[in-house]
Each structure stands twice: as structure tokens, then as C-alpha cells.
Amino acid sequence: MERPRHQGMTKNTYMRWRLPLVCLLWEVAMIVLFGVFVRFGPEADAHWEEEKRERNLTSDIENDFYFRYPSFQDVHVMIFVGFGFLMTFLKRYGFGAVGFNFLLAAFGIQWALLMQGWFHSFKSGKILVGVENLINADFCVGSVCIAFGAILGKTSPIQLLVMTLFQVTLFAVNEYILLNLLHVKDAGGSMTIHTFGAYFGLTVTRILYRPNLEQSKDKQGSVYHSDLFAMIGTLYLWMYWPSFNSAISEHGDAQHRAAINTYCSLAACVLTTMAFSSMLQKKGKLDMVHIQNATLAGGVAVGTSAEMMLTPYGSLIVGFICGIVSTVGYVYLTPFLESRLHIQDTCGIHNLHAMPGLIGGIVGAITAAAATEDVYGKEGFIKAFDFTGTYQTRTPSVQGGFQAAGIVVSLLMAFAGGALVGAILKLPVWGDAAAENCFEDGCGVEVPEDEESDVYHMHNPDKPASP
């Protein structure tokens, strides 16, 4: 394989040694760190029988695995299939979208188990892992997948790995500040996952601004089959989002409530998305970009308040509003951000994750501040917001204030972290493609050369297209 040649300022995209070196060294580092720190939690350890006796448990069915694993499966599918296929809409970047999402997620979950473990389950010098740790690691990686959407097609796999390393670290710090220090409730991650991940990715893509990206404008669109593949991702995400928002909620009413609230919000969001997609097009036709993305905004926006007493009709209102906000964002805000603020947001994460994430944080703050014992019941009120121990004197209005503070902290962490990581990724050593070769699988992935792959002209520019 020859090294690529470019005119003027050269960009060396040759990955034969750099990518294997980074992957192998980092995986060896993971093996060493896991060997030193990670051990099975009490419910996964072979001493489970003794644990059962100590906790007066009578059956293996009371092991947390049987409560959490179905939700873990759903969340895992969302990360690897949902997010992966959602980003296959680019007509020449399907392999890169799914493949690089697979790569960053596989590395990210390992690093997340360590980072989150050091903050949340570090006991006697060891990180104790169970099924809930796996879910939280997937949540963390979901934030990275969101950020990946902003820089999709414009970065090398090494850049994505570097971004994952830093973003997972910052995510764990932000999550610890919100959940442990501020004691906010954020079951579905409107603040910790979506707001942080989206604004982090938008900041990174702003720092990596490419003034000559117009040279690849023809490759930023979709074709019929690429939009169809993206809809697979949409439907997986839409169906499993109730599991995502309820996965780590307390067993019983909270988890049940989170699933219902999310279900209702998603359903309402689809109708308003369809309505405004048609309304904002001159010929009244639906735009698949809106159908693939804005229909999911309801799940994002109900994340923080999912396990609160938002009520089904309240969830419908949230979904109704987010379908409008997200669709309008795709039509008007995305072009504005690119032309005026130089934010080149490939997937439109500002509309699907950033704005709905902010709405979700605000809805959560209002719902928390409005909570009363009449609505929740005395015991339910204490349980819902964990008003015990240090927090037993906290009032709903104070809790609402801390919820709002969580939004601010997430934004600050996203902007500061994104600026730092963007500056690191801008260094000319990571093998990213030149502007004219962005959104092109042929730069980093082998593509088919049969007659059905005419869309990949760059891979074999001398091959004529099929009639």
C-alpha cells in the first residue's frame, strides 16, 4: 500500500503502524489496570452464597443481575447498533460510521469501568464491578458516541481514540460532581450524558473547523439506501429508549415510572416532528433527516425527570415541545451554526442532544422544585430524591436549585474540556484526512470494488460507473 500524496500542506493519513500501535498499547494498559484494580462485585463473586446468608436473601433471583441485565442488553444494543447505524446516513461513510463507533465504544467501556469505578465503587483498593457498572459504562460511552456525531467523517480513528480517552475521564468527573457532590437526580442522563456529550462535541468540532470543507460538500449528503440504514438505528434507539432512561433507577415504582414517562414522550415527539417536517418544507414532504433524528428528542428531554412524578400528560407535553424544537433546529439553526459560528455539526447533535438535553435539565429542575409529599407520599418523597442522611433537610426548592446548577456545571465541563481536547486533536500527528477527502470511507477503510459499489469512486477513481 502506497502512502497517500497530497499537494501543498501534506496530511499523512497512513495508518498501518500508528493505529495498531495505539490500539495494542492501550489494550495492554487496560489489561494491566484491570489486573491491578478490577475485581468481581459481591453479586458476581463466587462467594455469593455467603453474601446471600449475610443479607438474608433466600433465592438467586434476588441477585441484581436478574433485575438489571435485560435493561443492560437494551442499552448495549443502543450504543453499538442504534448509534452506529444512525450515523450511516452519509452516502460514502457507512463503514466508517459503524466501524469507528464500534472501536471507540469498545475502548470507551473499558476505560469507563475504571474511571467510574475509582469514583463510585472503589473499596479496599479495588474496583468492584457488577451489572450496574456495565450499564453506567455504556452510559458514559453514549456521551462519546454523541460527540462523535459532530465530527463524523472528519477525523481519523486515532483522533477518536484520543477523544474517547479524555472525554470518558471528564465525563466521570462531571458525573461525580453532579451525582455525589450536588446530589442531583439524572436517571436518563439529560445533563450528564446528552448536554455534556453534545456541547463537548460541538466545542471540539468548532476547534477543528475546516474552512475548505466545501470541497467535500457533495459527500455530506445521503442516498436512498444510506437513509434506510440510518432508520434502522433510529428505530432501535426509539424502541429501547425507555430501557435507557430507567436502567439504573431504583427497583419498583421509580423504574416503572421512568419507562412510562419516556414511552409517552417519545410517542408525542414523533407526531410533532412529522407535522413540522412537513410544514417547514416548501412542498410539504417529510425530510428523512428529521425523521431519523428529531423523533428521538423526546427520549433525551425526559431523561432527568423520567423517574419523577412528571405524569404521563406531562411527558406528552415534553415530547410535543421537543419534536418542534429539534425539527426547527435542523431547518434553521444547523445552517446558522455552520455559516456564522463555524460549527460544522455533521449529524446535527445540537438539535437531537444539546437543546433537548438542556430542556430535560430544566424540566427536571422544575419538576423537582414542585415536588410535594401530597403527590409522592411521605416515604415516596424521601425515596424519590434520596432525602436521607446529609440531605434529609433538603427541600424541593433547594433540590430544584441544585438541579439547575447541574446544567451549568455540565456546560462548563463540556466547553472547557472540548476546547482542551479540540486543541490536542488539532495537532498534525493524528492522521486525519484532508478536507477534500472527508466523509469518505476509502481514506481509512477497504471498500468493495464490485459494480455495486460505484458510490466509492475515490477508492478506484479510474473505474467507470455502472450504467
Side-chain angles (χ1 to χ4, degrees), residues 72 75-76 79-80 109 133-143:
F72 163 71
V75 173
H76 216 46
I79 299 302
F80 289 91
I109 57 177
N133 299 77
L134 307 186
I135 296 172
N136 281 316
D138 275 358
F139 280 174
C140 180
V141 167
S143 171

Side-chain angles (χ1 to χ4, degrees), residues 250-308:
E250 291 290 332
H251 301 323
D253 63 292
Q255 195 167 44
H256 200 163
R257 193 160 54 242
I260 294 172
N261 281 333
T262 307
Y263 183 96
C264 292
S265 183
L266 284 165
C269 189
V270 173
L271 271 72
T272 50
T273 296
M274 297 282 189
F276 272 75
S277 180
S278 174
M279 188 186 306
L280 296 175
Q281 301 299 312
K282 290 183 179 180
K283 295 184 179 181
K285 296 182 179 179
L286 299 176
D287 188 326
M288 286 307 296
V289 172
H290 308 154
I291 309 309
Q292 291 158 4
N293 295 279
T295 52
L296 303 171
V300 175
V302 81
T304 297
S305 58
E307 61 184 14
M308 300 180 192

Side-chain angles (χ1 to χ4, degrees), residues 29 38 73 76 78 103 141 167 183-184 197 211-212 221 229 255 261 265 285 312 324 326 342 348 390 413 419:
V38 180
Q73 286 180 304
H76 216 46
M78 289 178 70
L103 173 66
V141 167
Q167 188 175 352
H183 195 65
V184 306
N212 299 320
F229 272 111
Q255 195 167 44
N261 281 333
S265 183
K285 296 182 179 179
I324 298 171
S326 184
H342 294 169
T390 308
M413 289 289 291

Side-chain angles (χ1 to χ4, degrees), residues 175-197:
E175 182 185 53
Y176 179 77
I177 293 172
L178 266 63
L179 303 187
N180 293 71
L181 301 184
L182 300 180
H183 195 65
V184 306
K185 307 300 288 184
D186 194 27
S190 293
M191 295 182 286
T192 54
I193 300 171
H194 301 284
T195 300
F196 171 77

Side-chain angles (χ1 to χ4, degrees), residues 205-263:
T205 196
R206 174 61 184 88
I207 301 297
L208 298 180
Y209 173 69
R210 291 171 176 263
N212 299 320
L213 201 59
E214 285 292 326
Q215 298 175 31
S216 300
K217 197 71 176 178
D218 62 313
K219 291 175 278 191
Q220 293 186 48
S222 62
V223 291
Y224 189 86
H225 71 267
S226 67
D227 269 337
L228 194 58
F229 272 111
M231 275 303 299
I232 295 173
T234 298
L235 292 175
Y236 269 105
L237 290 169
W238 196 90
M239 290 188 300
Y240 289 146
W241 217 296
S243 295
F244 188 93
N245 283 354
S246 64
I248 58 170
S249 296
E250 291 290 332
H251 301 323
D253 63 292
Q255 195 167 44
H256 200 163
R257 193 160 54 242
I260 294 172
N261 281 333
T262 307
Y263 183 96

Side-chain angles (χ1 to χ4, degrees), residues 178-179 182-187 190-192 195 303-308 357-358 360-370 384-387 394-410:
L178 266 63
L179 303 187
L182 300 180
H183 195 65
V184 306
K185 307 300 288 184
D186 194 27
S190 293
M191 295 182 286
T192 54
T195 300
T304 297
S305 58
E307 61 184 14
M308 300 180 192
L358 287 176
I362 294 168
V363 170
I366 295 172
T367 307
F385 297 98
D386 194 20
F387 285 161
R394 183 175 284 191
T395 63
S397 58
V398 172
Q399 180 66 31
F402 276 99
Q403 295 284 147
I407 303 173
V408 176
V409 172
S410 294

